[in-house]
Amino acid sequence: MNKSVKSFIYKGNIFNFIILTFTSLFQTAALIIVSLMLEKIMAIASSNNLNALYEQFVMFIVLLISSIIIFILITYLKPKYQKKAITQYKNNIYNQILDKSISNFNKYNTSTYISALTNDVHKIEEDYLFSIFDLIANITLFICTIIVMIIYSPLLTISGIVLSLLPFIGAIIVGGKLAVREKEISDQNANFMHFVKDNLIGFSTVKVFKAENKIKELFNKNNIIIEDKKASKTKTLALMEMVQQVLSLVSQLGVFFIGAYIAISSGKIAPSVILLFVQLMNYIISPLMSVPTLLSKRLSCKPLFKKIEEIIKIETSENQTEIIDSIDDISISNLNFMYEEKVILENISYKFEKNKSYAIVGPSGSGKTTLINLLLGKDYNYTGNINYNGIEVRQISQDSLYKISSFVEQNVFVFDDSIINNITMYSNVSDELLNEVLIKSGLIDLINEKGKDYRCGENGCNLSGGEKQRISIARALINKSQLLLLDEATSALDNETATHITNNLLEIDNTTKIMITHRLDEGILTKFDEILVMKNGNIVEFGTYKELINKNGIFKSLVELV
C-alpha cells in the first residue's frame, strides 16, 4: 500500500499549521471584541462618561497592536506553510509516478499525469489548503457570537438564529452541485491537455498533410466543451452568491425590526444592544454563508485527491520477489498476446541463449516490438510463459531485471539537457567508459564538434534523428548490460553509419543481443548467431542467414524485395 500523498501536505508543517490556526482564532476574537467595544462606546456616549471612553480607547490600542503582530505572523507563516505543503505534495506525487512500473505507468496517458500535477494540484492549493483556517475561524465566530447574543437577549438570539438559517438553507441547496462541476472540469482538462499535447508533438505531420483546418476545428470543439464546464461552475457560484445575499439582507432587517419591537413594547433592550445585534448578525450569517461554500470547495477536492491517489498507485504483484543478477537463457513457451481483441502474438515458443546475438525481422505489424516489450516485462497481460533462467518474468523484480538489461527504443526520447547527461542519465561514469561508448555509438565526432555540454533541446529538437538514435544507443551501452534489446536502433542512420555501429554492437562480449532490424544486408545479418523471421504474430522461420536463404522461404522473399 502506498502512503497517502495527502499526508505530505502536513508533514513537517504542523508548527506552521498550529500558529495559523491560532491567528484565525485571534481574528475571530478581535471581531467579537470590536463589536462589543462599539456597543460600549454607544452606551458611553449616552452617559457622558469620559473615563469609560478612555478605557475603551486603551483597549482599542492594545487590540490594534496585537492585530499588527498577528498580521505580521500571517504574512510570514502563510507563504511558508503554502510552499512547504505544495512542494512536498507535488514532489511525492512525482516520486510515486516515477516509482511505478512501465506497465503500471502505461495504464494512464501522459496528459492525465500532467493534469494531476498542474490543474488538480492548483485546485487543491486554491480550495483545500487554506480553507481549513477559514472553516475554523467561521465556526468559532459563529459559536462565540451566539454566546454573546444569548448573554444580552436570549429571545432576540433565537429570532436571529431562525432568520439566519434562510441563507444557510439556500446555500446548501445550490452548493451541492459544485463537487460535480469540479470533477467534470478536471476530467475535461485532462482530455484537453492530451489533445493539445498530441497535436503539438505531431505539428510537422499536421502541416505536411495540411490538416490544420480540421485540427483547428477539433481544438475549438474541445475548447468550447471545457469552457462550457467552467461557465456552468461559474453560474452555480453566482446563483449561490445571489441567493445568499438576498436572504442575508432579509435576516438582518428582520432582527432589526424584531429588536425594535421588543425595545418599544417592553423596554428590555437598549438601542445600543439592537445595533450590536445587527452587527453580530453578520457574524452569524457570514459563517452560515461561508461554511457551506468552504465545505463544498473542500468536498470538491475529495474526488481530486482520490483521482491522484488512483493514478499514482503502485500496483506490485506479491509474486514479484525473485531477484536475478545474471541471464543464462530466456525461454518463451506458448506465448499469446492480444490488444483490444486483436491477436498480436500467437503461440510463440523460442529460447534465447546466453551471449548470443539474434536479429528479428519481418513485415510491419508482425509483432516484433510487442515481443521485445514483453521480454522487458512492460505488460503482463499475456498467456504462456517468458522465463529468465527458468523463472517467469512476472515473478521477477523489475528493478533487478532492469539492472542487467538495456533497451533502445524505436522512438527515442531525448531530454532538454546536455548530450552527456542524456547519455549517462545523470549517473557518474568514468572518462574511459564514456570515451569507449562515444566511439562505439558513433557520437565522438558530434561531441568534438558541439561539445559535451551542448543542449539537445526539447525532445532533442536541436539534433537530427540519427544523432538522437546514437544517443539512445550510447545510453544503453553505458550500463554494460548482460541483455541488450534494440528496436530498429539504426533506422535513422545512413547505411555506412548503421553498419559501423551494428558491427560495434555485435562485437560486445558477455552480452545477449536481440535486435529488431529492417536492414536485410547480408554483410550484417551473417554476423548474427540466429535470425528470427516473424509474420502475423508468429515466428515462422529461424536460423542463420545461410540456412534461411537455402530454405527458399519467407526470409528469402523479404531479402529479394529489398
Side-chain angles (χ1 to χ4, degrees), residues 134-256:
D134 294 331
L135 277 170
I136 291 170
N138 277 280
I139 292 170
T140 306
L141 182 63
F142 179 82
I143 294 171
C144 292
T145 300
I146 294 295
I147 293 171
V148 171
M149 290 174 74
I150 289 173
I151 292 171
Y152 276 88
S153 174
L155 179 60
L156 194 53
T157 301
I158 293 170
S159 302
I161 292 173
V162 171
L163 289 170
S164 64
L165 288 175
L166 294 176
F168 177 72
I169 293 169
I172 288 178
I173 292 171
V174 181
K177 298 178 181 179
L178 272 180
V180 177
R181 299 286 181 264
E182 290 296 350
K183 181 66 167 58
E184 289 174 348
I185 290 171
S186 174
D187 291 343
Q188 192 57 41
N189 260 325
N191 293 335
F192 185 68
M193 290 186 72
H194 178 60
F195 172 82
V196 172
K197 175 174 169 286
D198 271 0
N199 285 285
L200 291 180
I201 289 174
F203 181 81
S204 57
T205 304
V206 171
K207 295 297 290 185
V208 168
F209 289 93
K210 302 187 183 303
E212 300 100 314
N213 290 335
K214 183 61 180 176
I215 296 300
K216 289 175 184 176
E217 180 185 329
L218 291 171
F219 179 89
N220 185 53
K221 182 179 177 181
N222 279 279
N223 199 20
I224 288 172
I225 291 172
I226 193 169
E227 293 307 321
D228 279 344
K229 300 292 184 187
K230 290 180 183 178
S232 180
K233 174 196 167 185
T234 304
K235 183 179 177 181
T236 302
L237 283 171
L239 178 61
M240 184 189 300
E241 289 171 4
M242 182 269 290
V243 169
Q244 288 174 333
Q245 288 175 5
V246 170
L247 294 178
S248 64
L249 181 61
V250 170
S251 301
Q252 282 185 303
L253 287 175
V255 166
F256 191 85

Side-chain angles (χ1 to χ4, degrees), residues 101-104 315-317 320 335-337 373-384 386 392-399 401-402:
S101 66
I102 295 174
S103 59
N104 194 202
E315 297 176 359
T316 55
S317 169
Q320 286 182 292
L335 179 64
N336 296 277
F337 182 78
N373 287 335
L374 293 182
L375 289 177
L376 265 179
K378 287 190 175 184
D379 199 318
Y380 297 137
N381 295 315
Y382 60 83
T383 61
I386 301 172
E392 228 293 327
V393 72
R394 282 177 283 210
Q395 298 176 339
I396 298 172
S397 159
Q398 285 199 340
D399 283 344
L401 179 59
Y402 295 158

